[in-house]
Amino acid sequence: ILSTQKVMKGVLLKVSDTGIGMPEEKAKQLFRNEKNHSTRGTNGEKGSGIGLSLVSTLVELNKGTIRVQSFLNRGTTFEVVLPNA
């Protein structure tokens, strides 16, 4: 599910899924660059672990913020706020 919304600071972009979710400890480590954090997805698909690192870097370069909320067996939501131009 993808949604956007105008907020005081700029634009909020939300990306949500209803996949396997992840434990809180895993979510805290997602944007750290020192280690590959990729795990198997809902259908056993494998990732490289580089995608979120790239997104995080691009968001920071544009003076935005990114955060994640995840619940095991319920899914994950990523929220990106990018400032007005």
Side-chain angles (χ1 to χ4, degrees):
I1 301 168
L2 176 65
S3 67
T4 59
Q5 174 183 346
K6 267 187 134 175
V7 293
M8 289 285 281
K9 295 181 180 181
V11 176
L12 169 65
L13 169 69
K14 281 188 184 182
V15 180
S16 301
D17 68 33
T18 56
I20 61 173
M22 67 187 93
E24 184 177 346
E25 290 304 312
K26 174 88 174 162
K28 287 179 182 178
Q29 298 174 354
L30 282 180
F31 305 115
R32 295 185 186 158
N33 294 324
E34 70 264 6
K35 187 177 177 186
N36 181 337
H37 301 287
S38 182
T39 57
R40 299 275 177 184
T42 304
N43 295 317
E45 67 275 14
K46 184 179 176 189
S48 67
I50 194 169
L52 286 175
S53 177
L54 288 172
V55 168
S56 178
T57 299
L58 290 171
V59 168
E60 288 175 15
L61 286 172
N62 285 282
K63 298 178 177 37
T65 59
I66 185 169
R67 70 182 197 125
V68 62
Q69 276 191 304
S70 190
F71 302 95
L72 283 174
N73 301 314
R74 289 182 28 209
T76 303
T77 298
F78 289 92
E79 295 184 354
V80 174
V81 176
L82 295 173
N84 292 319

